[in-house]
Amino acid sequence: MLRTTAAVVAGKAARAASRLRGGGSALPGLVAERVDPGFLAHALADVPGGIVVVTGTNGKTTTTKMLVAVLRAHGRTVFTNPTGSNFTRGVISSMLGELPLRGRLTADLAVLELDEAHALKFAAAVRPTHALLLNVARDQLDRFAEIDHTAKLLASLAEQATTGVVLNLDDSFVARIRDKVGEGVVVRYFGVDASIADRLPELQEQDVRFEDDFVPPVAGPEDGLLKPSDERTFEVLFGDRGGGDGGTGSGTVGPLELQQRGLAAMINATAATATARLLLGDAFDPAAAATALRAVTPPFGRGEVVMVDGQPLELVLVKNPAGFTVALGTYGSTPVATMIAINDNYADGRDVSWLYDVSFDSLRERGVTTTSGVRGYDMALRLQYDDVPVAGVQPDLDQALDAFLAEHPDEPKRIFCTYTAMMALRRTLAARYDLPDIGEEAS
């Protein structure tokens, strides 16, 4: 107990110092963890409603934000790590702002976004009650190698869950994890309605295991299916796949429209809804869920729109072939001025060869104003192979942003950026245009 209290004091001091210096969000967690190696287990010991881990290659931050919003709309107090720092130390850092000196978190539930590998490190310290497993795609090949390795990481996490697991019905790398779930642990699915199954190839990797006895699961009455009515409006169907009273086994959430565009965002909302329904049971209210989802703003950098001198500037995170392809399909067709910022820092993945698995044809007609970041020249070369004109290259992000804004003062703008580039640009924009910083948005 004394050690945990000392860790809280040290972590809070590091958090205050880090904020004053504009430092990274993981440092306070590192300090607290050094003082008390059992900090996570102590801090989460009194959370009664469940500890939920959200992980997978794409959509973790958005889905976590949606799930938290739905749970809070049902009157639950929820702790989460909303800064996007999805390593264990980032979770601790987020926690320090809410912890009393005794070091025990007061909340009904904890919903935590975690990196695929760090989810297992978290589970070694605190076994999650529930796991939401979103998808598997090639990402950060220097860290995760091939997708089978990432799938094994998710399967290992599912084995640690004590109460329930929610799986992607349409991603065979994830759906087959059902066989790894412990005895007595509830399995639920989320997926898309058969009417839009033909759009799945644009979102996911192809599973090429030809000799396999795996039989894909079929959606049951407790599983949620996404059914869009157009590019913006959709429903999440449960039970009888039609109208219902919202009780267990039936009901529809929606129709509703999200503030974030695209099919991927709709699927994220479906995953969040299916998980909330599992957690809440008979208390789940479809109307409350729909209202909460409508109000969710895009997390910073995930289609977030910043007004700059009266014109919208859209920040779009891209970090792997599937994600960039979806982003171009969702955002790349509208005629706006475009900048692309590519870094190869640890959090981005050192290997950027994945850029050659993305088609940039949709940018050909308008071209790209500038490429930037550590790999700005590599990005310009990649675009040249797809005959996409690039007006200039400026590796320095702030200088590139200045030039981009100056060259297009009276029109909408969009920046596709990897994680660390997005974070740097978002902080610069926050300082210049009086936006909430990442920590303030999170709270």
Side-chain angles (χ1 to χ4, degrees), residues 59-67 81-84 113 259-261 265 268 295-306 314-317 331 419 422-423 426 438 441-442:
K60 294 184 290 291
T61 300
T62 299
T63 305
T64 298
K65 188 172 185 180
M66 289 175 171
L67 175 56
N81 54 326
T83 64
E113 172 199 345
Q259 296 189 38
Q260 189 172 358
R261 290 188 283 154
N268 292 336
V296 174
T297 56
F300 55 88
R302 280 78 170 178
E304 177 190 23
V305 177
V306 175
E314 201 164 32
L315 295 175
V316 182
L317 176 68
Y331 304 100
Y419 182 75
M422 180 269 291
M423 296 287 280
R426 180 62 173 76
I438 292 168
E441 183 207 59

Side-chain angles (χ1 to χ4, degrees), residues 234-238 240-246 250-255 284 286-287 290:
F234 69 99
E235 298 173 315
V236 180
L237 307 180
F238 290 98
D240 58 9
R241 312 300 178 207
D245 60 7
S250 66
T252 298
V253 176
F284 180 78

Side-chain angles (χ1 to χ4, degrees), residues 101 167 286 300 303 355:
L101 287 180
L167 303 175
F300 55 88
L355 291 169

Side-chain angles (χ1 to χ4, degrees), residues 46-254:
D46 293 341
V47 177
I51 298 170
V52 186
V53 171
V54 180
T55 192
T57 306
N58 294 317
K60 294 184 290 291
T61 300
T62 299
T63 305
T64 298
K65 188 172 185 180
M66 289 175 171
L67 175 56
V68 170
V70 173
L71 293 172
R72 287 175 175 167
H74 286 79
R76 304 302 193 268
T77 58
V78 184
F79 166 74
T80 189
N81 54 326
T83 64
S85 182
N86 54 24
F87 291 4
T88 50
R89 288 167 183 168
V91 172
I92 295 173
S93 296
S94 299
M95 200 180 292
L96 286 166
E98 301 183 27
L99 280 177
L101 287 180
R102 68 187 185 92
R104 295 296 181 96
L105 189 71
T106 302
D108 294 324
L109 300 107
V111 177
L112 306 173
E113 172 199 345
L114 285 166
D115 167 274
E116 299 94 299
H118 279 260
L120 287 181
K121 294 183 180 181
F122 174 88
V126 181
R127 288 192 69 179
T129 59
H130 297 78
L132 168 55
L133 308 182
L134 296 171
N135 46 59
V136 173
R138 285 170 294 158
D139 183 68
Q140 297 192 31
L141 296 180
D142 52 308
R143 287 185 62 214
F144 294 120
E146 284 302 320
I147 50 181
D148 283 336
H149 175 64
T150 305
K152 289 178 181 177
L153 293 176
L154 299 192
S156 295
L157 177 67
E159 291 176 339
Q160 298 299 313
T162 62
T163 306
V165 173
V166 181
L167 303 175
N168 187 337
L169 183 75
D170 302 309
D171 186 319
S172 67
F173 293 99
V174 174
R176 67 177 66 241
I177 291 174
R178 67 182 181 189
D179 298 330
K180 301 290 186 179
V181 175
E183 185 177 352
V185 176
V186 175
V187 176
R188 295 284 182 266
Y189 296 99
F190 69 94
V192 303
D193 185 74
S195 62
I196 60 163
D198 61 325
R199 294 188 60 183
L200 286 173
E202 71 188 67
L203 296 169
Q204 62 189 32
E205 300 282 353
Q206 183 179 4
D207 190 344
V208 294
R209 284 171 282 199
F210 298 111
E211 296 181 6
D212 196 318
D213 58 2
F214 172 70
V215 177
V218 177
E222 305 286 349
D223 304 321
L225 294 182
L226 164 67
K227 186 173 184 180
S229 54
D230 55 41
E231 287 299 311
R232 297 299 300 272
T233 308
F234 69 99
E235 298 173 315
V236 180
L237 307 180
F238 290 98
D240 58 9
R241 312 300 178 207
D245 60 7
T248 300
S250 66
T252 298
V253 176

Side-chain angles (χ1 to χ4, degrees), residues 195-396:
S195 62
I196 60 163
D198 61 325
R199 294 188 60 183
L200 286 173
E202 71 188 67
L203 296 169
Q204 62 189 32
E205 300 282 353
Q206 183 179 4
D207 190 344
V208 294
R209 284 171 282 199
F210 298 111
E211 296 181 6
D212 196 318
D213 58 2
F214 172 70
V215 177
V218 177
E222 305 286 349
D223 304 321
L225 294 182
L226 164 67
K227 186 173 184 180
S229 54
D230 55 41
E231 287 299 311
R232 297 299 300 272
T233 308
F234 69 99
E235 298 173 315
V236 180
L237 307 180
F238 290 98
D240 58 9
R241 312 300 178 207
D245 60 7
T248 300
S250 66
T252 298
V253 176
L256 66 102
E257 183 176 308
L258 301 173
Q259 296 189 38
Q260 189 172 358
R261 290 188 283 154
L263 179 60
M266 295 181 188
I267 293 176
N268 292 336
T270 304
T273 302
T275 306
R277 196 168 182 274
L278 172 61
L279 290 165
L280 295 166
D282 289 339
F284 180 78
D285 179 358
T291 299
L293 291 169
R294 292 186 189 102
V296 174
T297 56
F300 55 88
R302 280 78 170 178
E304 177 190 23
V305 177
V306 175
M307 296 306 296
V308 176
D309 299 329
Q311 292 294 334
L313 170 64
E314 201 164 32
L315 295 175
V316 182
L317 176 68
V318 293
K319 62 191 186 79
N320 52 51
F324 211 149
T325 299
V326 169
L328 289 168
T330 302
Y331 304 100
S333 59
T334 51
V336 300
T338 301
M339 169 176 158
I340 303 179
I342 305 294
N343 278 351
D344 65 351
N345 298 321
Y346 176 76
D348 307 297
R350 302 289 189 186
D351 183 350
V352 296
S353 63
W354 62 268
L355 291 169
Y356 285 83
D357 290 330
V358 181
S359 171
F360 295 95
D361 291 353
S362 62
L363 301 177
R364 187 176 296 155
E365 182 176 350
R366 179 68 189 261
V368 172
T369 298
T370 186
T371 59
S372 184
V374 178
R375 293 300 192 110
Y377 283 100
D378 299 80
M379 187 68 241
L381 176 63
R382 171 66 190 94
L383 292 171
Q384 185 176 353
Y385 280 102
D386 277 359
D387 298 319
V388 177
V390 178
V393 180
Q394 172 50 261
D396 184 274

